[in-house]
Amino acid sequence: MKREIIQTQDGSTTIYLPDWNESYHSKHGAVQEAYHVFIKNGFSLFEGKSISILEIGFGTGLNAFITYLEAQKNTNQKIHYVGVEAYPIALEEALQMNYAQEIEAKESHVFQLLHQVDWEEENMIPPEFTLTKRQQYFQDINDSNAFDLIYFDAFGFRVQPELWSEAIFAAMFKALKANGVLVTYACRTSIKKAMISAGFSVEKLPGAPGKREMLRATKGV
């Protein structure tokens, strides 16, 4: 499928799929969306705690990169990060992403390293961040009681509704530990119902720029 690199409204880049009229991140601002949805409303709930994170849709590596940066602000916070992606982007595409410059992060080499390390292996990204990239269909995820937090960043319901089904969220529920949290940019009624049917408690939260609401789902004890 054809992919184009475009600039979003906050100046950061994303990958656009013209055949689907779909992009990897919000056209209103890739970095803004990532920080709002996944850091502010997800990662920040675990400030200072060592946690395991599952990302559904590793994509450009933006969410992994900003999680690494946030973790460095908390002394000794260890992060075990698993990114699942069925169709990894090429290193050449990743290197055209301008996230380090837009965030004004000195660790641009870390962003590159996230894409260079081997798939299907646990990689240490110093000092306290481990990354495992799994090339896998989301439907094949079968982890159990393994993660504290899930970043659910699949392509939108309009183009891939099968990724937002009760069956998928049942797998996410199984993958989380008790009191685990799932956050996503989406807020469609059918998605909320699928989450609830899978066992989650669900709340609507203000969305990132350009989107009115988002969802956060919690697995009870």
Side-chain angles (χ1 to χ4, degrees):
M1 186 179 295
K2 184 180 180 182
R3 296 200 288 247
E4 300 174 356
I5 294 171
I6 64 170
Q7 187 176 73
T8 67
Q9 289 182 16
D10 69 358
S12 57
T13 51
T14 191
I15 295 175
Y16 174 65
L17 307 176
D19 292 342
W20 282 359
N21 188 27
E22 180 80 351
S23 56
Y24 279 58
H25 306 287
S26 172
K27 292 182 179 180
H28 296 280
V31 166
Q32 284 185 147
E33 177 192 51
Y35 269 104
H36 179 86
V37 175
F38 302 111
I39 301 301
K40 179 181 177 181
N41 289 298
F43 185 74
S44 66
L45 301 177
F46 301 90
E47 185 175 355
K49 299 178 182 178
S50 297
I51 60 170
S52 294
I53 300 172
L54 173 65
E55 181 180 13
I56 303 301
F58 184 77
T60 65
L62 171 58
N63 297 330
F65 184 50
I66 62 174
T67 299
Y68 170 86
L69 296 176
E70 289 299 307
Q72 301 317 299
K73 299 176 183 179
N74 299 301
T75 305
N76 297 323
Q77 184 176 22
K78 296 180 180 179
I79 306 298
H80 176 61
Y81 199 101
V82 175
V84 176
E85 178 61 58
Y87 302 101
I89 69 171
L91 177 60
E92 293 74 20
E93 292 174 295
L95 295 181
Q96 294 180 64
M97 299 295 106
N98 67 351
Y99 303 137
Q101 299 95 301
E102 288 299 311
I103 299 169
E104 298 183 352
K106 297 178 181 179
E107 299 91 338
S108 58
H109 65 286
V110 172
F111 180 76
Q112 183 171 335
L113 186 59
L114 296 176
H115 288 279
Q116 288 178 320
V117 294
D118 291 333
W119 288 74
E120 318 303 336
E121 294 184 12
E122 185 175 273
N123 303 278
M124 175 63 75
I125 312 294
E128 302 287 350
F129 190 98
T130 62
L131 170 66
T132 303
K133 298 184 295 183
R134 299 189 334 211
Q135 187 169 0
Q136 183 181 31
Y137 291 113
F138 302 157
Q139 294 90 334
D140 296 333
I141 293 172
N142 194 36
D143 301 272
S144 181
N145 194 37
F147 300 100
D148 302 284
L149 177 62
I150 293 177
Y151 295 164
F152 200 90
D153 201 15
F155 285 130
F157 183 93
R158 177 180 59 84
V159 296
Q160 288 194 304
E162 69 277 9
L163 301 183
W164 302 86
S165 65
E166 181 182 339
I168 291 290
F169 288 116
M172 299 300 100
F173 189 88
K174 177 184 175 184
L176 282 171
K177 300 175 185 177
N179 297 315
V181 173
L182 179 152
V183 284
T184 184
Y185 63 87
C187 196
R188 185 180 287 251
T189 298
S190 62
I191 294 173
K192 181 180 178 181
K193 288 181 177 178
M195 291 176 170
I196 293 171
S197 295
F200 284 105
S201 298
V202 184
E203 57 185 320
K204 290 183 179 180
L205 300 170
K211 195 166 183 65
R212 191 162 58 90
E213 295 174 313
M214 59 164 283
L215 293 175
R216 181 165 63 198
T218 304
K219 177 179 180 177
V221 177

Short mmCIF file of all heavy atoms in Angstrom, two decimals, residues 2-54:
data_model
loop_
_atom_site.label_atom_id
_atom_site.label_comp_id
_atom_site.label_asym_id
_atom_site.label_seq_id
_atom_site.Cartn_x
_atom_site.Cartn_y
_atom_site.Cartn_z
N LYS A 2 0.51 2.23 -0.81
CA LYS A 2 1.29 3.45 -0.92
C LYS A 2 1.29 4.22 0.39
O LYS A 2 0.28 4.32 1.07
CB LYS A 2 0.71 4.33 -2.02
CG LYS A 2 1.51 5.61 -2.27
CD LYS A 2 0.89 6.43 -3.39
CE LYS A 2 1.69 7.70 -3.63
NZ LYS A 2 1.07 8.54 -4.68
N ARG A 3 2.46 4.76 0.77
CA ARG A 3 2.59 5.55 1.99
C ARG A 3 3.29 6.86 1.67
O ARG A 3 4.27 6.88 0.94
CB ARG A 3 3.37 4.77 3.06
CG ARG A 3 2.69 3.50 3.51
CD ARG A 3 3.22 3.03 4.86
NE ARG A 3 4.55 2.49 4.82
CZ ARG A 3 4.85 1.21 5.05
NH1 ARG A 3 3.89 0.35 5.33
NH2 ARG A 3 6.09 0.78 5.01
N GLU A 4 2.80 7.93 2.25
CA GLU A 4 3.40 9.25 2.07
C GLU A 4 3.70 9.85 3.43
O GLU A 4 2.94 9.66 4.38
CB GLU A 4 2.43 10.17 1.32
CG GLU A 4 2.05 9.68 -0.06
CD GLU A 4 0.97 10.56 -0.71
OE1 GLU A 4 0.49 11.51 -0.03
OE2 GLU A 4 0.60 10.30 -1.86
N ILE A 5 4.79 10.58 3.53
CA ILE A 5 5.12 11.29 4.76
C ILE A 5 4.58 12.70 4.66
O ILE A 5 4.86 13.42 3.70
CB ILE A 5 6.63 11.27 5.01
CG1 ILE A 5 7.09 9.84 5.27
CG2 ILE A 5 6.99 12.16 6.20
CD1 ILE A 5 8.58 9.65 5.32
N ILE A 6 3.77 13.09 5.63
CA ILE A 6 3.15 14.42 5.63
C ILE A 6 3.42 15.11 6.95
O ILE A 6 3.76 14.48 7.95
CB ILE A 6 1.62 14.34 5.38
CG1 ILE A 6 0.93 13.60 6.54
CG2 ILE A 6 1.32 13.67 4.04
CD1 ILE A 6 -0.60 13.70 6.51
N GLN A 7 3.24 16.43 6.95
CA GLN A 7 3.38 17.21 8.18
C GLN A 7 2.00 17.46 8.77
O GLN A 7 1.06 17.82 8.05
CB GLN A 7 4.08 18.53 7.89
CG GLN A 7 4.42 19.34 9.14
CD GLN A 7 5.20 20.60 8.82
OE1 GLN A 7 4.65 21.55 8.30
NE2 GLN A 7 6.48 20.58 9.11
N THR A 8 1.86 17.28 10.07
CA THR A 8 0.60 17.54 10.75
C THR A 8 0.58 18.97 11.27
O THR A 8 1.57 19.69 11.19
CB THR A 8 0.37 16.54 11.90
OG1 THR A 8 1.34 16.77 12.94
CG2 THR A 8 0.51 15.10 11.40
N GLN A 9 -0.56 19.37 11.83
CA GLN A 9 -0.75 20.78 12.17
C GLN A 9 0.15 21.29 13.29
O GLN A 9 0.34 22.50 13.42
CB GLN A 9 -2.22 21.03 12.53
CG GLN A 9 -3.15 20.96 11.32
CD GLN A 9 -4.60 21.26 11.67
OE1 GLN A 9 -4.90 21.80 12.73
NE2 GLN A 9 -5.50 20.90 10.78
N ASP A 10 0.71 20.40 14.11
CA ASP A 10 1.64 20.88 15.16
C ASP A 10 3.09 20.86 14.68
O ASP A 10 4.00 21.12 15.46
CB ASP A 10 1.47 20.07 16.45
CG ASP A 10 1.94 18.63 16.33
OD1 ASP A 10 2.37 18.21 15.24
OD2 ASP A 10 1.87 17.89 17.34
N GLY A 11 3.29 20.57 13.38
CA GLY A 11 4.63 20.58 12.82
C GLY A 11 5.30 19.22 12.76
O GLY A 11 6.29 19.03 12.05
N SER A 12 4.77 18.25 13.50
CA SER A 12 5.35 16.91 13.50
C SER A 12 4.82 16.10 12.32
O SER A 12 3.75 16.37 11.77
CB SER A 12 5.05 16.20 14.82
OG SER A 12 3.65 16.12 15.04
N THR A 13 5.58 15.10 11.93
CA THR A 13 5.26 14.31 10.75
C THR A 13 4.45 13.07 11.10
O THR A 13 4.40 12.63 12.25
CB THR A 13 6.56 13.87 10.04
OG1 THR A 13 7.42 13.26 11.01
CG2 THR A 13 7.25 15.05 9.38
N THR A 14 3.85 12.50 10.08
CA THR A 14 3.20 11.19 10.20
C THR A 14 3.23 10.53 8.84
O THR A 14 3.66 11.13 7.85
CB THR A 14 1.76 11.31 10.73
OG1 THR A 14 1.28 10.00 11.07
CG2 THR A 14 0.82 11.93 9.70
N ILE A 15 2.76 9.29 8.78
CA ILE A 15 2.65 8.58 7.52
C ILE A 15 1.19 8.54 7.11
O ILE A 15 0.31 8.21 7.93
CB ILE A 15 3.22 7.15 7.64
CG1 ILE A 15 4.74 7.23 7.93
CG2 ILE A 15 2.97 6.34 6.36
CD1 ILE A 15 5.37 5.88 8.19
N TYR A 16 0.94 8.86 5.86
CA TYR A 16 -0.42 8.92 5.32
C TYR A 16 -0.62 7.83 4.28
O TYR A 16 0.27 7.58 3.46
CB TYR A 16 -0.65 10.30 4.70
CG TYR A 16 -1.97 10.47 3.98
CD1 TYR A 16 -3.18 10.42 4.67
CD2 TYR A 16 -2.00 10.68 2.60
CE1 TYR A 16 -4.40 10.58 4.00
CE2 TYR A 16 -3.21 10.85 1.93
CZ TYR A 16 -4.40 10.79 2.63
OH TYR A 16 -5.59 10.93 1.97
N LEU A 17 -1.76 7.15 4.34
CA LEU A 17 -2.11 6.09 3.39
C LEU A 17 -3.21 6.62 2.47
O LEU A 17 -4.39 6.62 2.85
CB LEU A 17 -2.60 4.85 4.13
CG LEU A 17 -1.67 4.29 5.22
CD1 LEU A 17 -2.33 3.11 5.93
CD2 LEU A 17 -0.33 3.88 4.63
N PRO A 18 -2.87 7.11 1.29
CA PRO A 18 -3.88 7.73 0.42
C PRO A 18 -4.99 6.77 -0.01
O PRO A 18 -6.13 7.20 -0.21
CB PRO A 18 -3.07 8.23 -0.78
CG PRO A 18 -1.77 7.50 -0.72
CD PRO A 18 -1.52 7.20 0.72
N ASP A 19 -4.69 5.49 -0.16
CA ASP A 19 -5.72 4.54 -0.59
C ASP A 19 -6.84 4.42 0.45
O ASP A 19 -7.98 4.11 0.10
CB ASP A 19 -5.10 3.16 -0.83
CG ASP A 19 -4.17 3.15 -2.03
OD1 ASP A 19 -4.25 4.09 -2.85
OD2 ASP A 19 -3.35 2.21 -2.15
N TRP A 20 -6.50 4.64 1.70
CA TRP A 20 -7.48 4.56 2.79
C TRP A 20 -7.91 5.94 3.30
O TRP A 20 -8.84 6.03 4.09
CB TRP A 20 -6.90 3.78 3.97
CG TRP A 20 -6.90 2.30 3.82
CD1 TRP A 20 -7.37 1.59 2.75
CD2 TRP A 20 -6.43 1.35 4.78
NE1 TRP A 20 -7.21 0.25 2.98
CE2 TRP A 20 -6.64 0.06 4.21
CE3 TRP A 20 -5.85 1.45 6.03
CZ2 TRP A 20 -6.29 -1.11 4.88
CZ3 TRP A 20 -5.49 0.28 6.70
CH2 TRP A 20 -5.71 -0.98 6.13
N ASN A 21 -7.20 6.98 2.86
CA ASN A 21 -7.38 8.31 3.45
C ASN A 21 -7.26 8.22 4.97
O ASN A 21 -8.07 8.73 5.73
CB ASN A 21 -8.74 8.91 3.07
CG ASN A 21 -8.86 10.38 3.51
OD1 ASN A 21 -7.86 11.08 3.64
ND2 ASN A 21 -10.09 10.83 3.77
N GLU A 22 -6.19 7.56 5.40
CA GLU A 22 -5.93 7.29 6.83
C GLU A 22 -4.47 7.58 7.13
O GLU A 22 -3.59 7.35 6.29
CB GLU A 22 -6.25 5.83 7.14
CG GLU A 22 -6.04 5.43 8.59
CD GLU A 22 -7.17 5.84 9.52
OE1 GLU A 22 -8.06 6.58 9.08
OE2 GLU A 22 -7.15 5.41 10.69
N SER A 23 -4.21 8.11 8.31
CA SER A 23 -2.82 8.39 8.71
C SER A 23 -2.50 7.68 10.02
O SER A 23 -3.39 7.31 10.78
CB SER A 23 -2.59 9.89 8.85
OG SER A 23 -3.49 10.47 9.76
N TYR A 24 -1.19 7.50 10.26
CA TYR A 24 -0.76 6.81 11.47
C TYR A 24 -1.08 7.62 12.72
O TYR A 24 -1.28 7.05 13.78
CB TYR A 24 0.75 6.55 11.40
CG TYR A 24 1.13 5.33 10.58
CD1 TYR A 24 0.76 5.21 9.25
CD2 TYR A 24 1.87 4.30 11.15
CE1 TYR A 24 1.12 4.10 8.50
CE2 TYR A 24 2.23 3.19 10.41
CZ TYR A 24 1.86 3.09 9.09
OH TYR A 24 2.21 1.99 8.35
N HIS A 25 -1.07 8.94 12.60
CA HIS A 25 -1.37 9.83 13.72
C HIS A 25 -2.33 10.92 13.26
O HIS A 25 -2.54 11.11 12.06
CB HIS A 25 -0.08 10.46 14.26
CG HIS A 25 0.99 9.48 14.62
ND1 HIS A 25 0.92 8.69 15.75
CD2 HIS A 25 2.14 9.15 14.00
CE1 HIS A 25 2.00 7.91 15.80
NE2 HIS A 25 2.74 8.18 14.76
N SER A 26 -2.86 11.66 14.20
CA SER A 26 -3.81 12.71 13.88
C SER A 26 -3.18 13.79 13.01
O SER A 26 -2.08 14.28 13.30
CB SER A 26 -4.34 13.34 15.17
OG SER A 26 -5.12 14.48 14.88
N LYS A 27 -3.90 14.20 11.96
CA LYS A 27 -3.43 15.31 11.13
C LYS A 27 -3.47 16.63 11.90
O LYS A 27 -2.85 17.60 11.49
CB LYS A 27 -4.29 15.41 9.87
CG LYS A 27 -4.11 14.24 8.90
CD LYS A 27 -4.94 14.44 7.65
CE LYS A 27 -4.75 13.29 6.67
NZ LYS A 27 -5.57 13.46 5.44
N HIS A 28 -4.21 16.66 13.00
CA HIS A 28 -4.26 17.86 13.83
C HIS A 28 -3.00 18.03 14.68
O HIS A 28 -2.80 19.09 15.28
CB HIS A 28 -5.49 17.82 14.74
CG HIS A 28 -6.78 17.84 13.99
ND1 HIS A 28 -7.34 18.98 13.49
CD2 HIS A 28 -7.62 16.83 13.65
CE1 HIS A 28 -8.47 18.71 12.87
NE2 HIS A 28 -8.67 17.41 12.96
N GLY A 29 -2.17 17.00 14.72
CA GLY A 29 -0.93 17.07 15.48
C GLY A 29 -0.52 15.72 16.02
O GLY A 29 -1.12 15.23 16.98
N ALA A 30 0.48 15.11 15.40
CA ALA A 30 0.90 13.77 15.79
C ALA A 30 1.44 13.74 17.21
O ALA A 30 1.03 12.92 18.04
CB ALA A 30 1.96 13.24 14.80
N VAL A 31 2.37 14.64 17.52
CA VAL A 31 2.97 14.67 18.85
C VAL A 31 1.95 15.09 19.90
O VAL A 31 1.88 14.50 20.99
CB VAL A 31 4.20 15.60 18.86
CG1 VAL A 31 4.64 15.91 20.30
CG2 VAL A 31 5.36 14.95 18.10
N GLN A 32 1.13 16.09 19.59
CA GLN A 32 0.10 16.54 20.54
C GLN A 32 -0.83 15.39 20.92
O GLN A 32 -1.16 15.20 22.09
CB GLN A 32 -0.74 17.66 19.92
CG GLN A 32 -0.08 19.01 19.87
CD GLN A 32 -1.01 20.09 19.35
OE1 GLN A 32 -0.94 21.23 19.76
NE2 GLN A 32 -1.89 19.75 18.44
N GLU A 33 -1.29 14.64 19.91
CA GLU A 33 -2.20 13.53 20.16
C GLU A 33 -1.54 12.46 21.02
O GLU A 33 -2.13 11.95 21.98
CB GLU A 33 -2.64 12.91 18.84
CG GLU A 33 -3.55 11.69 19.02
CD GLU A 33 -3.75 10.92 17.72
OE1 GLU A 33 -2.74 10.60 17.06
OE2 GLU A 33 -4.90 10.62 17.39
N ALA A 34 -0.30 12.11 20.68
CA ALA A 34 0.39 11.05 21.41
C ALA A 34 0.56 11.40 22.88
O ALA A 34 0.31 10.57 23.77
CB ALA A 34 1.76 10.79 20.76
N TYR A 35 0.96 12.63 23.16
CA TYR A 35 1.14 13.05 24.56
C TYR A 35 -0.20 13.09 25.30
O TYR A 35 -0.29 12.66 26.45
CB TYR A 35 1.82 14.42 24.63
CG TYR A 35 3.33 14.34 24.70
CD1 TYR A 35 4.11 14.61 23.59
CD2 TYR A 35 3.97 13.98 25.89
CE1 TYR A 35 5.50 14.54 23.65
CE2 TYR A 35 5.35 13.89 25.97
CZ TYR A 35 6.12 14.17 24.84
OH TYR A 35 7.49 14.07 24.91
N HIS A 36 -1.22 13.59 24.64
CA HIS A 36 -2.52 13.72 25.30
C HIS A 36 -3.14 12.37 25.63
O HIS A 36 -3.57 12.11 26.76
CB HIS A 36 -3.48 14.52 24.43
CG HIS A 36 -4.84 14.68 25.04
ND1 HIS A 36 -5.15 15.69 25.93
CD2 HIS A 36 -5.98 13.93 24.93
CE1 HIS A 36 -6.40 15.56 26.32
NE2 HIS A 36 -6.93 14.50 25.73
N VAL A 37 -3.19 11.50 24.63
CA VAL A 37 -3.88 10.22 24.80
C VAL A 37 -3.07 9.25 25.65
O VAL A 37 -3.57 8.68 26.64
CB VAL A 37 -4.20 9.58 23.43
CG1 VAL A 37 -4.81 8.19 23.61
CG2 VAL A 37 -5.15 10.49 22.64
N PHE A 38 -1.81 9.06 25.29
CA PHE A 38 -1.05 7.96 25.88
C PHE A 38 -0.22 8.35 27.11
O PHE A 38 -0.07 7.53 28.02
CB PHE A 38 -0.17 7.32 24.81
CG PHE A 38 -0.99 6.81 23.65
CD1 PHE A 38 -0.92 7.41 22.41
CD2 PHE A 38 -1.88 5.76 23.83
CE1 PHE A 38 -1.71 6.96 21.35
CE2 PHE A 38 -2.67 5.31 22.78
CZ PHE A 38 -2.58 5.92 21.53
N ILE A 39 0.28 9.56 27.14
CA ILE A 39 1.06 9.99 28.32
C ILE A 39 0.15 10.61 29.38
O ILE A 39 0.06 10.11 30.51
CB ILE A 39 2.17 10.98 27.91
CG1 ILE A 39 3.12 10.33 26.89
CG2 ILE A 39 2.93 11.44 29.16
CD1 ILE A 39 3.81 9.07 27.37
N LYS A 40 -0.55 11.67 29.03
CA LYS A 40 -1.39 12.38 30.02
C LYS A 40 -2.46 11.47 30.61
O LYS A 40 -2.69 11.48 31.83
CB LYS A 40 -2.03 13.59 29.37
CG LYS A 40 -2.95 14.37 30.31
CD LYS A 40 -3.60 15.56 29.61
CE LYS A 40 -4.56 16.28 30.54
NZ LYS A 40 -5.22 17.43 29.85
N ASN A 41 -3.13 10.69 29.76
CA ASN A 41 -4.27 9.90 30.23
C ASN A 41 -3.96 8.42 30.44
O ASN A 41 -4.87 7.65 30.76
CB ASN A 41 -5.44 10.07 29.26
CG ASN A 41 -6.04 11.44 29.35
OD1 ASN A 41 -6.56 11.84 30.38
ND2 ASN A 41 -5.96 12.20 28.25
N GLY A 42 -2.71 8.04 30.26
CA GLY A 42 -2.32 6.66 30.47
C GLY A 42 -1.07 6.53 31.33
O GLY A 42 -1.14 6.21 32.53
N PHE A 43 0.06 6.84 30.76
CA PHE A 43 1.35 6.65 31.44
C PHE A 43 1.45 7.43 32.75
O PHE A 43 2.02 6.95 33.74
CB PHE A 43 2.48 7.04 30.50
CG PHE A 43 3.86 6.79 31.03
CD1 PHE A 43 4.37 5.50 31.12
CD2 PHE A 43 4.65 7.84 31.47
CE1 PHE A 43 5.64 5.26 31.62
CE2 PHE A 43 5.92 7.61 31.97
CZ PHE A 43 6.41 6.32 32.05
N SER A 44 0.88 8.63 32.78
CA SER A 44 1.00 9.47 33.98
C SER A 44 0.33 8.86 35.20
O SER A 44 0.65 9.22 36.34
CB SER A 44 0.40 10.86 33.71
OG SER A 44 -1.00 10.77 33.51
N LEU A 45 -0.58 7.91 34.99
CA LEU A 45 -1.24 7.23 36.11
C LEU A 45 -0.26 6.37 36.90
O LEU A 45 -0.54 5.97 38.03
CB LEU A 45 -2.39 6.37 35.61
CG LEU A 45 -3.51 7.06 34.83
CD1 LEU A 45 -4.53 6.04 34.35
CD2 LEU A 45 -4.19 8.13 35.69
N PHE A 46 0.87 6.05 36.28
CA PHE A 46 1.84 5.15 36.89
C PHE A 46 3.16 5.87 37.20
O PHE A 46 4.22 5.25 37.21
CB PHE A 46 2.12 3.97 35.94
CG PHE A 46 0.89 3.17 35.60
CD1 PHE A 46 0.11 3.50 34.50
CD2 PHE A 46 0.51 2.08 36.38
CE1 PHE A 46 -1.02 2.77 34.18
CE2 PHE A 46 -0.62 1.35 36.06
CZ PHE A 46 -1.39 1.69 34.97
N GLU A 47 3.08 7.15 37.45
CA GLU A 47 4.28 7.95 37.67
C GLU A 47 5.17 7.35 38.76
O GLU A 47 4.73 7.06 39.86
CB GLU A 47 3.90 9.38 38.06
CG GLU A 47 5.09 10.30 38.19
CD GLU A 47 4.70 11.75 38.45
OE1 GLU A 47 3.48 12.04 38.43
OE2 GLU A 47 5.60 12.56 38.65
N GLY A 48 6.44 7.15 38.41
CA GLY A 48 7.41 6.62 39.35
C GLY A 48 7.38 5.13 39.54
O GLY A 48 8.24 4.57 40.24
N LYS A 49 6.41 4.45 38.93
CA LYS A 49 6.30 2.99 39.08
C LYS A 49 6.91 2.28 37.88
O LYS A 49 6.76 2.73 36.74
CB LYS A 49 4.83 2.59 39.23
CG LYS A 49 4.13 3.18 40.44
CD LYS A 49 2.67 2.76 40.47
CE LYS A 49 1.94 3.38 41.66
NZ LYS A 49 0.49 3.00 41.67
N SER A 50 7.55 1.17 38.13
CA SER A 50 8.07 0.34 37.05
C SER A 50 6.92 -0.48 36.48
O SER A 50 6.21 -1.17 37.23
CB SER A 50 9.18 -0.57 37.56
OG SER A 50 10.27 0.20 38.02
N ILE A 51 6.70 -0.39 35.16
CA ILE A 51 5.52 -1.02 34.57
C ILE A 51 5.84 -1.69 33.24
O ILE A 51 6.87 -1.45 32.62
CB ILE A 51 4.38 0.00 34.35
CG1 ILE A 51 4.83 1.11 33.40
CG2 ILE A 51 3.89 0.56 35.67
CD1 ILE A 51 3.68 2.01 32.95
N SER A 52 4.91 -2.54 32.82
CA SER A 52 4.95 -3.18 31.51
C SER A 52 3.86 -2.57 30.64
O SER A 52 2.71 -2.44 31.07
CB SER A 52 4.72 -4.69 31.63
OG SER A 52 5.78 -5.30 32.34
N ILE A 53 4.24 -2.21 29.41
CA ILE A 53 3.32 -1.55 28.48
C ILE A 53 3.22 -2.37 27.20
O ILE A 53 4.23 -2.83 26.66
CB ILE A 53 3.81 -0.13 28.14
CG1 ILE A 53 3.89 0.72 29.40
CG2 ILE A 53 2.90 0.52 27.10
CD1 ILE A 53 4.54 2.09 29.19
N LEU A 54 2.01 -2.53 26.71
CA LEU A 54 1.76 -3.16 25.42
C LEU A 54 1.21 -2.09 24.48
O LEU A 54 0.22 -1.44 24.78
CB LEU A 54 0.73 -4.29 25.56
CG LEU A 54 0.23 -4.93 24.26
CD1 LEU A 54 1.36 -5.66 23.54
CD2 LEU A 54 -0.92 -5.90 24.54
#
